[in-house]
Amino acid sequence: MITAEDLVREGTALSDRFGRERADAFGQSLPGLVDRLRGRWGLRPQGLYPSGATSVVLAVEAEGHGPAVLKVSPDAAFLTRQSRMMRHLAATGRAPTVLVEAPEDGAVLLERIVPGHTLDSTRGEPPTPPQWASLLQDLHRTDVDGVSDTLADRCEDMVDRIGARQALPQVRTHVPDSLWQRVVADCRDLIRTGTEQVVIHGDLHLGNVLDGGDRGLVVIDPKLCVGDRCFDMVDYVVTEGDAARMRTRAAELAPLVGMDLDRLLGWCAVNAVVTAISHITWSGSSARTDELLLLAGHS
């Protein structure tokens, strides 16, 4: 049973992304919006999923569709773009089907994947390299037509955003300017020397991949752009383990997807430092960040 209070709480919790005033207004309006959508689409709300930074997500039963997922966001334009990206991936079978949209309300109804838990919520080892390679091969065969964002632009945004975190005193102690400057130069060089330009998911960490049972791995929350397919491999490589285990995982994955190992490790070193900076910013230095920096060649 989802109460109005539950919906208000979930909506106002989006303040980190949208600011307190906008999130509060969204939270207060959410019970009425969900009630209208329930009548319009024949929904029976069943429970709440952990919400991300941009949306409130509900498990529902939908008339004519069965088990489904309702996403609602204060940023209607963002949700519309995301739905378009999901449709772009539809032919691969690796993304939930978009069932119906209400762009004016910032709402979309998606197919529910079963069992559907994210891979970062499971215990034990991450997916095997063959499983990840199969997912990548399906995702990367989509047509570049209709995808206008580029990895080059995304990386420049990342340089600005992560660079501001690296400049914080508590981060700079562990990630000195010399290391960050090297990472930025390496990232730009990898962009410059990239010969393959394919559609990539753009944010392919284990929290954005669902267990689809017999269907295999299924992705959510794409940030599609055109660029080097290595970028969709790096979060998988650095997901856990010490630096040696990460290098081994890269060595196992590279031949399965026809990728040069040195190039993959170059992207992984960039990602490892970016990931370490984010961890240090919010949680401080740890054995995990030490291993990430070791992977990047800094100790």
Side-chain angles (χ1 to χ4, degrees):
M1 176 68 179
I2 304 174
T3 68
E5 290 76 15
D6 293 332
L7 293 172
V8 170
R9 182 184 66 251
E10 292 293 311
T12 57
L14 302 181
S15 57
D16 283 349
R17 174 64 178 266
F18 297 109
R20 173 55 58 195
E21 183 176 353
R22 187 176 179 188
D24 283 350
F26 175 69
Q28 293 299 322
S29 69
L30 196 52
L33 172 58
V34 170
D35 193 56
R36 291 195 301 276
L37 293 171
R38 182 169 55 186
R40 188 188 313 171
W41 291 341
L43 306 181
R44 294 192 303 277
Q46 296 180 315
L48 285 161
Y49 287 107
S51 297
T54 57
S55 306
V56 174
V57 186
L58 294 81
V60 300
E61 283 283 336
E63 186 176 326
H65 298 293
V69 172
L70 174 66
K71 293 185 70 171
V72 285
S73 174
D75 190 342
F78 162 80
L79 210 55
T80 297
R81 289 194 302 272
Q82 192 173 83
S83 296
R84 185 168 64 247
M85 293 177 185
M86 300 283 270
R87 286 195 166 96
H88 190 91
L89 297 175
T92 70
R94 295 289 195 165
T97 301
V98 178
L99 301 174
V100 63
E101 289 181 83
E104 69 282 3
D105 291 318
V108 60
L109 191 68
L110 302 169
E111 169 195 12
R112 192 194 305 177
I113 303 300
V114 179
H117 50 266
T118 59
L119 299 189
D120 64 343
S121 65
T122 61
R123 295 182 178 180
E125 291 292 316
T128 65
Q131 288 174 316
W132 204 254
S134 177
L135 172 66
L136 293 171
Q137 288 162 349
D138 285 343
L139 293 177
H140 294 164
R141 65 180 171 82
T142 60
D143 197 325
V144 298
D145 289 347
V147 179
S148 58
D149 291 349
T150 68
L151 180 59
D153 288 341
R154 292 277 180 82
C155 285
E156 288 304 319
D157 289 343
M158 179 192 72
V159 166
D160 292 342
R161 177 169 44 85
I162 303 299
R165 296 176 185 174
Q166 184 273 332
L168 297 171
Q170 70 269 28
V171 178
R172 183 179 270 166
T173 298
H174 303 281
V175 184
D177 292 347
S178 58
L179 174 58
W180 177 242
Q181 290 162 5
R182 191 198 84 197
V183 166
V184 171
D186 288 348
C187 180
R188 288 171 173 160
D189 189 59
L190 287 163
I191 290 289
R192 181 182 59 80
T193 58
T195 57
E196 290 185 299
Q197 297 293 299
V198 305
V199 175
I200 59 177
H201 179 282
D203 194 22
L204 198 58
H205 56 79
L206 296 192
N208 277 343
V209 183
L210 307 179
D211 179 358
D214 292 340
R215 180 168 167 177
L217 305 182
V218 176
V219 302
I220 57 173
D221 295 347
K223 296 181 180 178
L224 298 189
C225 59
V226 176
D228 191 332
R229 58 196 176 99
C230 268
F231 197 78
D232 274 352
M233 305 177 195
V234 292
D235 281 309
Y236 171 73
V237 170
V238 307
T239 189
E240 57 87 35
D242 60 17
R245 180 70 189 99
M246 296 181 214
R247 292 190 187 99
T248 298
R249 192 177 294 115
E252 293 170 342
L253 178 62
L256 297 176
V257 292
M259 179 55 61
D260 177 76
L261 177 58
D262 287 340
R263 185 170 184 85
L264 176 55
L265 287 173
W267 270 115
C268 289
V270 170
N271 178 263
V273 174
V274 169
T275 302
I277 288 172
S278 295
H279 279 295
I280 295 169
T281 300
W282 307 118
S283 304
S285 179
S286 65
R288 166 72 171 151
T289 58
D290 290 345
E291 292 296 333
L292 288 167
L293 294 176
L294 184 61
L295 178 67
H298 181 75
S299 58

